[in-house]
């Protein structure tokens, strides 16, 4: 298991990233979180990320690798927890990074990288999961990934119930999974989630409540 | 469950293949980054851009205006290849493996120019990731490995135009007689899809990396666009046989192609390109240059541009043109890449989208064009001999049918 580093955080209060995704200028709402994050370590982290972006824009592969290794674990994990398909999660995270590379020259360094990336990831993951839920599966075992996860988990049987929560999460709709992932993995506020997903804040809150209730029920049943 | 507990569990949840996925992802991202040109990285970039723009302006003036016709030969000397002096194909200019149909059968051509004959088959089509090739013979549809090993075969009358579902490869659609059928990627569960179709290859809708929003009630994964004999286009679920939408009648297309983002379905027919939305609504019709009849068309891997080759009759004889239509633009107009006498018959994009391979039938040559640099053309000559070794009679010019596999970058 790759243990993600500190969750990348946003840099501006209600700001918008001027970043063209795949050739078109796209204004993306940025989480408000970092406006509250004033600790020296976070400020240092933001400065360091800005330096990486600047260097990557100038052609530094090393800077790009720093950015990649900083953000990949979160993007990949978020995608996986929404789609529950390892191959699709990998594709979704890759596609998001490729979109970022295509737009790198136009990236405003004053803006945060992670929230923009994660917004793409989560929205694509929702689309993918919706599409999958509509199709009739043939030739694929929908539980293959979970089975593989369980058998590959050396801690199975230990007090760590991480695969249990993944299984329970799977019972939720893609939309509910997404709000759980944004809230509890990426630590967005409901307002930030609303902006990222283009939903009313009340809808986000109700989805969160319903998702948590269902998660609790599923995990109780599993025990 | 407490929030902190849920947070910890989500963060610690095991993900299959996590390390390998991260390293695979890095290789892809790194390759994409290496292929880009950083802004301001080169002091000569503005000059090169100016030269390119000037060259593009000249090409446009020559191709599009009657006055330009008189200087076309002069420009041709500058930007056109000389097929008679062209060297044989010794390597592909971009990564990937090329599938070629020839008189002797399909060939697999590696980047280094080495080539292998698959067998005595008529047509060939890559599976999504290049692990297999669907091939047809007089009475069989087969899946073979790139080394020629037969994986499975299905006996059907004159199968043609096999096409795999992108990404998953779970299905193959193919025509037989006037009908369209579908078979599983493993050669089982063959069934009728449509008893009466036009002689147009089917086009599977790309999934799962679709960016288009899908709502309840729309199609599932194995959904294919099919042309009807009256020119209507239908989107059909290959598993449930549900018809999701049907366009009005129109010219029978010779090619159907989805953009990679599923936002557009293109129907190429004669002198026009019709662009439909993912819901079957006609978005626009792009007219090809006057008198031009399309011979082939294909989306760039990015899905933003659609390349077309075609011919037109002039008082000097048959002329051909290769052009690109930037369909991502609000008012897309064809952009000529190259024009010459004779016939441009087939085209194929390189997986990275940087090269366009055009078969130049009358010159027995292949042209490797760079859509971003219209004057940059590499030519391989005497290709028919290369793909008919030992043949003493004249062989037809081999047709590039697929450059595997779709990758990153692009134009």
């Amino acid at each position: 298991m790759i243990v993600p580093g500190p969750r990348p955080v946003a840099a501006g209060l209600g700001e918008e990233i001027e970043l063209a995704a795949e050739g078109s200028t796209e204004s993306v709402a940025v989480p408000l979180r970092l406006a509250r994050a004033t600790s020296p370590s976070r400020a240092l982290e933001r400065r360091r990320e800005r330096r990486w972006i600047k260097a990557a824009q100038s052609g530094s592969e090393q800077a790009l690798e720093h950015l990649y290794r900083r953000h990949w674990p979160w993007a990949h994990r978020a995608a996986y927890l929404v789609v529950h398909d390892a191959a699709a999660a990998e594709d979704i995270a890759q596609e998001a990074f490729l979109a970022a590379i295509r737009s790198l020259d136009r990236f405003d360094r004053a803006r945060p990288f992670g929230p923009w990336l994660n917004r793409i990831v989560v929205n694509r993951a929702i689309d993918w999961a919706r599409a999958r839920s509509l199709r009739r599966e043939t030739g694929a075992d929908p539980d293959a990934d979970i089975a593989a996860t369980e058998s590959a988990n050396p801690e199975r049987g230990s007090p760590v119930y991480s695969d249990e929560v993944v299984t329970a999460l799977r019972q939720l709709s893609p939309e509910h999974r997404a709000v759980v992932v944004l809230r509890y993995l990426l630590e967005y506020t409901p307002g930030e989630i609303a902006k990222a997903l283009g939903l009313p804040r009340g809808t986000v809150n109700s989805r969160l409540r319903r998702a948590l209730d269902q998660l609790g029920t599923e995990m109780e049943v599993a025990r | 469950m407490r929030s902190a507990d849920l947070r910890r569990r989500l963060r610690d949840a095991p993900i299959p293949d996590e390390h390998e996925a991260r390293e695979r992802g890095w290789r892809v991202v790194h390759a994409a980054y290496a292929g880009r040109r950083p802004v301001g990285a080169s002091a000569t970039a503005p000059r090169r851009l100016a030269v390119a723009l000037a060259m593009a302006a000249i090409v446009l003036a020559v191709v599009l205006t009657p006055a330009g016709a008189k200087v076309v030969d002069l420009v041709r000397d500058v930007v056109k290849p000389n097929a008679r002096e062209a060297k044989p194909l010794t390597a592909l200019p971009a990564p990937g493996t090329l599938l070629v149909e020839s008189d002797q059968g399909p060939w697999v051509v590696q980047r280094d120019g080495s080539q292998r004959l698959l067998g005595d088959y008529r047509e060939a089509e890559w599976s999504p990731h290049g692990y297999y090739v669907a091939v047809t013979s007089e009475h069989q549809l087969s899946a073979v490995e790139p080394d020629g090993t037969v994986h499975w075969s299905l006996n059907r009358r004159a199968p043609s135009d096999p096409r795999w579902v992108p990404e998953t490869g779970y299905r193959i659609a193919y025509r037989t007689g006037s009908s369209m059928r579908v078979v599983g990627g493993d050669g089982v569960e063959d069934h009728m899809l449509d008893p009466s179709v036009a002689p147009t290859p089917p086009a599977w809708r790309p999934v799962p990396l679709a960016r288009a929003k899908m709502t309840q009630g729309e199609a599932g994964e194995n959904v294919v666009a099919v042309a009807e004999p009256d020119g209507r286009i239908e989107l059909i679920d290959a598993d449930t046989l549900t018809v999701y939408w049907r366009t009005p009648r129109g010219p029978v297309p010779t090619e159907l192609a989805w953009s990679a983002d599923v936002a557009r379905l293109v129907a190429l027919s004669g002198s026009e390109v019709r662009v439909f939305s993912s819901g079957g609504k006609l978005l626009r019709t792009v007219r090809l240059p006057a008198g031009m009849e399309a011979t082939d068309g294909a989306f760039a891997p990015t899905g933003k541009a659609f390349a077309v080759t075609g011919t037109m009759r002039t008082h000097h004889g048959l002329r051909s043109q290769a052009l690109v239509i930037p369909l991502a633009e609000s008012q897309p107009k064809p952009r000529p890449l190259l024009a010459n006498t004779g016939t441009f018959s087939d085209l194929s994009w390189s997986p990275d989208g940087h090269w366009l391979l055009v078969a130049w039938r009358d010159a027995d040559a292949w042209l490797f064009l760079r859509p971003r640099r219209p004057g940059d053309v590499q030519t391989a000559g005497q290709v028919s001999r290369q793909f008919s070794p030992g043949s003493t009679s004249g062989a037809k010019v081999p047709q590039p049918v697929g450059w595997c596999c779709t990758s990153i970058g692009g134009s």
Side-chain angles (χ1 to χ4, degrees), chain B residues 54-79:
Chain B
M55 183 62 84
I58 291 171
V59 171
L60 280 171
V62 165
V63 175
L64 298 180
T65 67
K70 290 184 179 177
V71 294
V72 72
D73 288 341
L74 174 65
V75 174
R76 188 187 306 153
D77 288 343
V78 176
V79 302

Side-chain angles (χ1 to χ4, degrees), chain B residues 166-180:
Chain B
E167 288 295 327
T168 67
Y170 284 168
R171 302 281 183 278
I172 300 172
Y174 65 98
R175 292 195 304 115
T176 171
S178 61
S179 65
M180 185 75 72

